[in-house]
Amino acid sequence: MNAETEAVVVETRDRPDGVRVVTLNNPPVNAISSAMRRQLRDTMLEIDADDSVKGVVLTGAGRAFIAGADIREFGKPNPPGAPSLTAGVHAVEDCNKTVVAAVNGAAAGGGLEVALGCHYRVAGPKARLGLPEVNLGTIPGATGTQRLPRLTGLKPALDMIVSGDLVSAARALELGIVEAIEDDPVEAAAAIALARAPKKLREDDSKIGEIPDGFFDDYKKGMARRWRGFEARFKAVDAVAKIVLPYDEAVEAERAVFRECQGTPEARAMRHVFFSDRQAARHPSIPKDTPAGTVEKAAVLGCGTMGGGIAMNFANAGIPVTVLETSEEALERGLGIIRDNYSGTVSRGRLSQEAMDRRMALITGASDYADLADADIVIEAVFETMDIKKQVFGTLDDVCKDGAVLATNTSTLDVDEIAAATSRPEAVVGTHFFSPANVMRLIEIVRGAKTSDETAQTAMKLAPKIGKVGVMCGVCDGFVGNRMLYQYSRQANFLIEEGALPQDVDRVMFEFGLPMGPFAMGDLAGVDVGYLVRQERIKKFGRTNKRESTVADKIYHLGRYGQKTRKGWYDYEPGSRTPKPNAEVTALIEKASADLGIERRAISDDEILERCLYPLVNEGAKLLTEGIAARPLDIDLIWIYGYGFPRYRGGPMHWADEIGPAHILERLEHYARTSDPDWLEPAPLLREVAGQGTTFREWADAR
Ligand code: T1G
């Protein structure tokens, strides 16, 4: 594409007052393509040479100002002659006319850097501003690390750059990034452009001041716990720290770090998640133009831990929700837990009392099914046994209005069997929330064999409205997440029979980037809950001929149920969630090995990692072949938002592609040879992509 043929994405118009309005127009969000970089530079040079221009306003067309560099161009060679964005920013700043940014919408990444190249900035009420490059595993690469601190001071700039969050117009005003918020920012900007002389931010470091020794190291220490594994965020601090150098040198150093970040596995993973987040809602099984039902009134059955959390999501989103419980006492207890939850957030200063009161006012308790009759969606969160579920759905079928979505929060039961208990299985869908339901962002949206497109679409479109990521999957035992988790936990239990201890396995998983390992997770979820799920599986499927570890059952029979009893796989001090290894558990494990005739051996961290995660990936491959998961990205999002799989690794299937399916196959076959073969049978799809030297991503793209 050369200058002659490329689309015009930088438009100009002259106002009667001599101000030239430069509008960046590259739908949908004015991402900075190479064409835009070229046209912006050329436009500024033209203005420089045109004395009829008295001032310049830079703004964006549509809902965004500029969404930053075009992420789709990342990793691709820079077309010939396309100036760098840094050159574009300097062309704006060096313009001999005053240039004012009218920030009408999102100014993100390179978009904010362009605005920081302008001499002044005015925001519209809907503006959002930030440098979110770290969310793409990279850093601001067009002077942002040197310009933002010059406007806000070092600490606020570091907070914005490291969090990657966009701030509102009001916050940007507070921070001094913009100097006014105007309903018509172009008009206000034009006035400033005519009234003031150009002012170059690069020459103003009055906001930097004296930098205490160790300031940046201390800042990084403060980040260590929250941003563990997100390397780009730490590199961004190093880039900002170049502020002590002359501007040009500091910008060169920033550029070098930016380039270094672009090719990292973290950057590839974070880009994958960025686009996957946006593709999740466009599920291939739902025709694009399928209408979604509106949800103006919701209901939740059961106000226990899950039901209460689910209800809070609706109240948080401003949607009235009725919560039904079998007794007044149970209802009061459930509403009390919700109230305490909100009070806790208020006391931590993360919610105002008014907001809490508003949300509580949206939650209505009920004990009569008739109160659910006009709900647009009813989510059932009662005890996890099929008989109760069927009875509940039969009643819902009788009382709920036509067109209502009947959803079940089951995590293990057959959604089709539940739907069959109604006369409208097309209206039934699984909405599997994760605990704590008001915190965890994932909803596994389980589409039954008879779930209609409209019902599925309604659930998918509802998820982001209540602050969730909805990922669709089909019906099978454990759906996507728990079915893969089963293979992971099973391996972890075999590993401790063979020589490892819970703390070894958990350390390796924690260092890999998971919030905690399988045994600490078992204690959080409840060793008793795990035992009951296993019993339910045996009742449902009978004992399989596959060998199962029995250590977890032994821990259960010792009454060690986990954090709730302050002893499980680990011990817990009163009021502490820090797991402490326990000698009785170690002895129990060693005895289990002896009883199985297993001679305990030293097990390497690599073996622990491979034997826990490769079977998980392998199960993911089976789920893709069965169509339970339609795309690898669905599996990745389920594991990132439901199980805390590290975002900077992109999710299990993306991670597998980075490692190479062939290597994973080779290791699975290795372990099949050296231990119990039947539990590591490589999935046909894994064999296929490994055999063809391709990836799960390429397999999916080729379909
Ligand atoms: N490049 C390419 N496509 C983009 C894009 C971008 N920067 N931003 C959004 N899109 C696509 C997106 O995939 C979706 O496509 C559509 O636009 C609408 O997006 C040197 C190098 C701006 C806050 O990280 O955070 O600059 O799914 O649904 O809700 O320092 O988009 O419809 O096919 O999100 O209104 C830094 C990324 C780049 C910002 C608007 N910039 N974008 O939110 O729309 S790195 C970012 C966003 C950089 C420099 C470096 C949001 C938004 P599709 P959307 P939205």
Side-chain angles (χ1 to χ4, degrees):
M1 174 88 67
N2 58 37
E4 279 70 47
T5 55
E6 76 193 15
V8 173
V9 289
V10 177
E11 300 159 352
T12 62
R13 70 178 170 83
D14 288 341
R15 295 166 39 108
D17 58 9
V19 169
R20 179 164 297 175
V21 178
V22 177
T23 303
L24 303 157
N25 188 3
N26 184 20
V29 287
N30 306 328
I32 306 169
S33 57
S34 53
M36 187 187 283
R37 294 199 303 271
R38 191 201 329 274
Q39 292 175 26
L40 181 61
R41 185 236 6 234
D42 297 351
T43 301
M44 298 317 291
L45 294 176
E46 266 164 40
I47 289 171
D48 248 356
D50 183 342
D51 293 342
S52 72
V53 177
K54 304 300 178 223
V56 182
V57 170
L58 208 63
T59 194
R63 70 176 190 263
F65 175 71
I66 307 172
D70 190 334
I71 304 168
R72 291 163 299 197
E73 290 186 354
F74 285 18
K76 300 196 179 97
N78 202 12
S84 72
L85 184 53
T86 302
V89 170
H90 289 155
V92 169
E93 183 167 60
D94 296 338
C95 179
N96 56 15
K97 318 293 190 305
T98 302
V99 184
V100 183
V103 184
N104 55 302
L112 179 56
E113 289 168 310
V114 168
L116 297 177
C118 297
H119 304 125
Y120 306 97
R121 286 147 294 280
V122 177
K126 291 211 181 80
R128 293 180 291 154
L129 305 90
L131 296 172
E133 284 85 348
V134 291
N135 295 335
L136 296 167
T138 187
I139 72 163
T143 79
T145 65
Q146 300 308 308
R147 286 173 180 275
L148 189 61
R150 283 177 161 81
L151 265 185
T152 65
L154 272 173
K155 174 81 171 44
L158 280 169
D159 292 348
M160 280 182 68
I161 291 170
V162 168
S163 70
D165 295 340
L166 301 186
V167 299
S168 67
R171 180 70 181 135
L173 184 63
E174 269 170 30
L175 291 168
I177 300 172
V178 300
E179 56 180 84
I181 301 173
E182 302 285 350
D183 291 342
D184 183 343
V186 170
E187 207 48 51
I192 294 173
L194 291 171
R196 298 192 202 160
K199 191 176 93 179
K200 297 187 177 187
L201 186 52
R202 62 190 283 174
E203 294 164 357
D204 173 7
D205 51 17
S206 59
K207 279 277 179 67
I208 304 303
E210 202 53 41
I211 303 174
D213 288 349
F215 172 81
F216 294 106
D217 289 343
D218 292 349
Y219 191 92
K220 283 201 274 186
K221 285 199 196 95
M223 293 162 57
R225 196 176 138 78
R226 168 121 193 250
W227 296 116
R228 182 174 68 95
F230 290 89
E231 292 308 315
R233 285 173 157 89
F234 294 89
K235 290 178 184 161
V237 177
D238 297 340
V240 173
K242 303 293 181 200
I243 199 114
V244 295
L245 300 174
Y247 172 83
D248 291 331
E249 277 179 51
V251 164
E252 233 357 87
E254 173 199 82
R255 191 96 194 125
V257 176
F258 171 76
R259 283 203 203 93
E260 181 199 316
C261 286
Q262 286 299 80
T264 60
E266 177 185 351
R268 287 192 294 275
M270 301 284 268
R271 284 201 297 270
H272 164 67
V273 179
F274 175 85
F275 288 115
S276 298
D277 278 340
R278 284 153 181 81
Q279 286 171 321
R282 292 192 290 252
H283 196 268
S285 76
I286 306 177
K288 249 219 287 304
D289 51 9
T290 302
T294 50
V295 175
E296 282 154 6
K297 196 169 180 338
V300 176
L301 250 118
C303 198
T305 314
M306 291 305 288
I310 295 169
M312 289 174 73
N313 294 313
F314 286 100
N316 297 350
I319 300 173
V321 57
T322 302
V323 182
L324 183 119
E325 257 297 355
T326 48
S327 68
E328 276 313 310
E329 189 232 339
L331 187 57
E332 268 326 301
R333 192 173 50 246
L335 292 175
I337 293 169
I338 293 175
R339 207 172 289 110
D340 294 350
N341 222 318
Y342 279 131
S343 308
T345 314
V346 170
S347 62
R348 286 191 297 279
R350 297 224 306 269
L351 185 70
S352 69
Q353 187 58 49
E354 296 70 46
M356 169 180 169
D357 300 344
R358 265 198 314 276
R359 292 173 188 196
M360 283 307 296
L362 288 168
I363 302 174
T364 310
S367 50
D368 183 344
Y369 271 86
D371 296 330
L372 312 184
D374 61 350
D376 300 309
I377 184 170
V378 181
I379 301 182
E380 158 281 313
V382 300
F383 207 69
E384 193 74 344
T385 60
M386 186 54 86
D387 303 346
I388 296 177
K389 303 277 189 195
K390 286 182 172 174
Q391 182 259 323
V392 164
F393 273 76
T395 312
L396 289 176
D397 194 20
D398 297 340
V399 299
C400 291
K401 68 179 181 183
D402 290 347
V405 169
L406 307 181
T408 170
N409 180 53
T410 181
S411 57
T412 58
L413 298 175
D414 185 336
V415 173
D416 290 324
E417 197 176 336
I418 294 172
T422 74
S423 63
R424 45 176 142 172
E426 73 284 356
V428 176
V429 67
T431 51
H432 177 210
F433 287 76
F434 285 68
S435 181
N438 58 312
V439 177
M440 295 301 286
R441 292 197 54 207
L442 179 70
I443 308 177
E444 252 182 338
I445 296 180
V446 185
R447 182 170 189 168
K450 298 198 174 136
T451 304
S452 68
D453 290 342
E454 290 71 21
T455 299
Q457 186 76 308
T458 303
M460 288 297 275
K461 296 294 181 198
L462 175 65
K465 288 205 181 86
I466 58 173
K468 303 297 182 190
V469 175
V471 182
M472 181 154 290
C473 66
V475 175
C476 71
D477 178 37
F479 312 137
V480 168
N482 285 346
R483 183 168 146 185
M484 293 168 72
L485 182 72
Y486 169 72
Q487 296 298 338
Y488 164 82
S489 315
R490 193 159 178 265
Q491 281 315 303
N493 281 273
F494 286 148
L495 283 161
I496 59 171
E497 287 178 348
E498 294 170 35
L501 287 171
Q503 53 270 34
D504 302 324
V505 177
D506 283 358
R507 175 182 49 74
V508 171
M509 287 302 126
F510 180 78
E511 287 167 2
F512 175 79
L514 286 165
M516 64 181 73
F519 298 101
M521 183 146 85
D523 278 353
L524 178 68
V527 172
D528 53 333
V529 174
Y531 178 81
L532 294 173
V533 169
R534 284 192 297 280
Q535 297 311 309
E536 196 60 33
R537 280 171 61 80
I538 293 167
K539 246 195 287 169
K540 202 160 59 179
F541 301 109
R543 279 194 185 285
T544 68
N545 59 3
K546 289 193 173 182
R547 189 169 78 76
E548 293 288 354
S549 167
T550 58
V551 177
D553 290 358
K554 292 190 172 79
I555 299 285
Y556 167 77
H557 289 304
L558 284 178
R560 300 180 66 92
Y561 297 164
Q563 287 193 13
K564 64 181 92 175
T565 55
R566 290 212 345 267
K567 56 181 180 168
W569 290 100
Y570 300 99
D571 290 344
Y572 299 85
E573 300 298 328
S576 161
R577 289 177 182 277
T578 309
K580 290 201 173 344
N582 169 279
E584 183 192 14
V585 170
T586 303
L588 178 150
I589 292 170
E590 289 166 348
K591 179 164 181 330
S593 307
D595 296 350
L596 289 162
I598 296 174
E599 192 179 329
R600 296 180 64 76
R601 61 185 172 88
I603 299 185
S604 71
D605 289 3
D606 287 349
E607 177 172 352
I608 290 174
L609 186 89
E610 292 182 345
R611 282 184 52 190
C612 285
L613 293 180
Y614 291 176
L616 180 142
V617 168
N618 192 52
E619 198 65 22
K622 292 180 181 171
L623 286 158
L624 289 168
T625 302
E626 295 164 24
I628 302 291
R631 306 158 294 184
L633 71 91
D634 296 307
I635 295 176
D636 289 335
L637 294 177
I638 284 172
W639 270 82
I640 288 170
Y641 291 112
Y643 300 84
F645 196 95
R647 196 181 178 92
Y648 55 83
R649 295 188 189 277
M653 305 318 283
H654 174 88
W655 176 70
D657 284 347
E658 279 280 334
I659 288 185
H663 172 71
I664 293 178
L665 176 62
E666 184 272 321
R667 299 306 293 163
L668 284 179
E669 289 174 333
H670 161 75
Y671 290 120
R673 278 193 303 276
T674 56
S675 43
D676 191 339
D678 76 340
W679 51 264
L680 271 184
E681 181 53 38
L685 177 59
L686 177 61
R687 288 191 186 286
E688 181 188 329
V689 293
Q692 294 164 1
T694 59
T695 65
F696 292 110
R697 170 70 183 267
E698 286 156 344
W699 168 83
D701 291 349
R703 293 176 71 204

Coordinates of all heavy atoms in Angstrom, one line a residue, residues 28 37 54 57 88 168 197 216 233 240 251 255 262 281 315 325 338 368 388 413 423 465 475 489 502 611 622 668 672:
P28 N -12.7 1.3 13.7 CA -13.7 1.8 14.6 C -13.2 2.7 15.7 O -13.9 3.5 16.3 CB -14.3 0.6 15.2 CG -13.2 -0.4 15.3 CD -12.4 -0.1 14.0
R37 N 0.4 7.3 10.5 CA 1.6 7.9 10.9 C 2.2 8.8 9.7 O 2.6 9.9 10.0 CB 2.7 6.8 11.3 CG 2.3 6.0 12.5 CD 3.5 5.3 13.1 NE 4.2 4.4 12.2 CZ 3.9 3.1 12.0 NH1 2.9 2.6 12.7 NH2 4.6 2.4 11.2
K54 N -3.8 29.6 11.6 CA -3.5 30.4 12.8 C -3.4 29.5 14.1 O -2.9 29.9 15.1 CB -4.7 31.4 13.1 CG -4.9 32.4 11.9 CD -3.6 33.2 11.6 CE -3.8 34.1 10.4 NZ -2.6 34.0 9.5
V57 N -6.3 22.2 15.8 CA -7.0 21.3 16.7 C -6.9 19.9 16.2 O -7.2 19.6 15.0 CB -8.5 21.7 16.9 CG1 -9.2 20.6 17.7 CG2 -8.6 23.1 17.6
G88 N 6.1 11.2 14.6 CA 4.8 11.8 14.5 C 4.6 12.7 15.7 O 4.1 13.9 15.5
S168 N -10.6 8.5 33.8 CA -11.7 9.3 33.3 C -11.3 10.8 33.0 O -10.2 11.2 33.4 CB -12.8 9.4 34.3 OG -12.3 10.1 35.4
A197 N 0.6 30.6 22.8 CA 1.8 30.2 21.9 C 2.1 28.7 22.2 O 1.6 28.2 23.2 CB 3.0 31.0 22.4
F216 N 12.8 4.5 42.3 CA 12.3 3.5 41.4 C 12.4 2.1 41.9 O 11.5 1.3 41.7 CB 13.0 3.7 40.0 CG 12.7 5.0 39.4 CD1 13.7 6.1 39.4 CD2 11.4 5.3 38.9 CE1 13.4 7.3 38.8 CE2 11.1 6.6 38.3 CZ 12.1 7.6 38.3
R233 N 5.7 -4.6 32.9 CA 5.4 -3.6 33.9 C 6.7 -3.1 34.6 O 6.9 -1.9 34.9 CB 4.4 -4.1 34.9 CG 3.0 -4.1 34.3 CD 1.9 -4.7 35.1 NE 0.6 -4.2 34.8 CZ -0.2 -4.8 33.9 NH1 0.2 -5.9 33.2 NH2 -1.4 -4.3 33.6
V240 N 10.8 4.7 32.6 CA 10.4 6.0 33.2 C 11.6 6.5 34.0 O 11.9 7.7 34.0 CB 9.2 5.9 34.2 CG1 9.0 7.2 34.9 CG2 8.0 5.5 33.4
V251 N 14.4 9.1 25.5 CA 13.4 8.6 24.5 C 14.0 7.4 23.7 O 13.4 6.4 23.4 CB 12.9 9.7 23.6 CG1 12.3 9.2 22.3 CG2 12.0 10.7 24.3
R255 N 12.7 3.6 23.6 CA 12.4 2.9 22.3 C 13.1 1.5 22.3 O 12.5 0.6 21.9 CB 13.0 3.8 21.1 CG 12.6 3.3 19.8 CD 11.4 4.1 19.3 NE 10.9 3.4 18.1 CZ 9.6 3.0 18.0 NH1 8.8 3.3 19.0 NH2 9.2 2.4 16.9
Q262 N 8.5 -6.1 22.3 CA 7.6 -6.5 21.3 C 7.6 -8.0 20.9 O 6.6 -8.6 20.7 CB 7.8 -5.7 20.0 CG 7.4 -4.3 20.1 CD 5.8 -4.2 20.3 OE1 5.4 -4.3 21.4 NE2 5.1 -4.0 19.2
A281 N -17.3 -13.1 22.8 CA -18.7 -12.9 22.7 C -19.3 -13.2 21.3 O -20.5 -13.4 21.1 CB -19.0 -11.4 23.0
A315 N -27.2 -6.4 41.1 CA -27.3 -5.1 41.8 C -26.2 -4.2 41.5 O -26.4 -3.0 41.3 CB -27.4 -5.4 43.4
E325 N -35.6 -17.8 48.7 CA -35.1 -18.9 49.6 C -36.2 -19.7 50.2 O -37.4 -19.2 50.2 CB -34.3 -18.3 50.8 CG -32.7 -18.4 50.6 CD -32.2 -19.8 50.5 OE1 -33.0 -20.8 50.7 OE2 -31.0 -20.0 50.2
I338 N -24.8 -11.0 52.2 CA -24.6 -9.9 51.1 C -24.3 -8.6 51.7 O -23.4 -7.9 51.3 CB -25.9 -9.9 50.2 CG1 -26.1 -11.1 49.4 CG2 -25.8 -8.6 49.3 CD1 -27.4 -11.2 48.6
D368 N -41.7 -16.9 47.8 CA -42.8 -17.5 47.0 C -42.4 -17.4 45.5 O -42.0 -16.4 45.0 CB -44.1 -16.6 47.2 CG -45.2 -17.2 46.4 OD1 -44.9 -18.0 45.5 OD2 -46.4 -16.8 46.6
I388 N -33.2 -32.3 43.2 CA -33.6 -30.9 43.6 C -33.7 -30.0 42.3 O -34.6 -29.3 42.1 CB -32.7 -30.4 44.6 CG1 -32.7 -31.2 45.9 CG2 -33.0 -28.9 44.9 CD1 -31.8 -30.8 47.0
L413 N -23.5 -31.0 37.0 CA -24.7 -31.8 36.5 C -25.0 -31.5 35.1 O -24.7 -30.5 34.5 CB -25.9 -31.5 37.5 CG -25.6 -31.9 38.9 CD1 -26.8 -31.5 39.8 CD2 -25.3 -33.4 39.0
S423 N -40.9 -27.8 30.0 CA -41.6 -27.9 28.7 C -40.9 -27.0 27.7 O -41.3 -26.8 26.5 CB -43.1 -27.5 28.8 OG -43.1 -26.2 29.2
K465 N -22.5 -7.1 30.8 CA -23.4 -6.1 31.5 C -23.3 -6.2 33.0 O -23.5 -5.3 33.7 CB -24.8 -6.2 31.0 CG -25.1 -5.8 29.6 CD -26.6 -5.4 29.4 CE -26.8 -4.9 28.0 NZ -27.1 -6.1 27.1
V475 N -22.2 -29.2 26.7 CA -22.4 -30.0 27.9 C -21.6 -31.2 27.9 O -21.5 -32.0 27.0 CB -23.9 -30.5 27.9 CG1 -24.2 -31.4 29.1 CG2 -24.9 -29.2 28.0
S489 N -5.5 -32.1 38.7 CA -5.5 -32.5 40.1 C -5.1 -33.9 40.3 O -4.4 -34.3 41.2 CB -6.9 -32.2 40.8 OG -7.4 -31.0 40.4
P502 N 2.8 -32.0 49.0 CA 1.9 -30.9 48.5 C 2.6 -29.6 48.3 O 2.4 -28.9 47.3 CB 0.9 -30.8 49.6 CG 0.9 -32.2 50.2 CD 2.3 -32.7 50.1
R611 N 3.8 -32.7 34.3 CA 2.8 -33.7 34.6 C 1.5 -33.1 35.1 O 0.4 -33.7 35.0 CB 3.3 -34.8 35.5 CG 4.2 -35.8 34.9 CD 4.7 -36.9 35.8 NE 3.6 -37.5 36.4 CZ 3.8 -38.4 37.4 NH1 5.1 -38.7 37.8 NH2 2.8 -39.0 38.1
K622 N -8.9 -32.6 23.6 CA -10.1 -33.5 23.4 C -11.3 -32.7 23.4 O -12.2 -32.9 22.6 CB -10.1 -34.5 24.6 CG -9.0 -35.5 24.6 CD -9.1 -36.5 25.8 CE -8.0 -37.5 25.8 NZ -8.0 -38.3 27.1
L668 N 4.5 -36.4 27.0 CA 3.4 -37.2 27.4 C 3.7 -38.7 27.2 O 3.5 -39.6 28.0 CB 2.1 -36.8 26.7 CG 1.4 -35.5 27.2 CD1 0.1 -35.3 26.4 CD2 1.0 -35.6 28.7
A672 N 4.2 -41.7 29.7 CA 3.3 -42.9 29.6 C 4.2 -44.1 29.7 O 3.9 -45.1 30.2 CB 2.6 -42.8 28.2

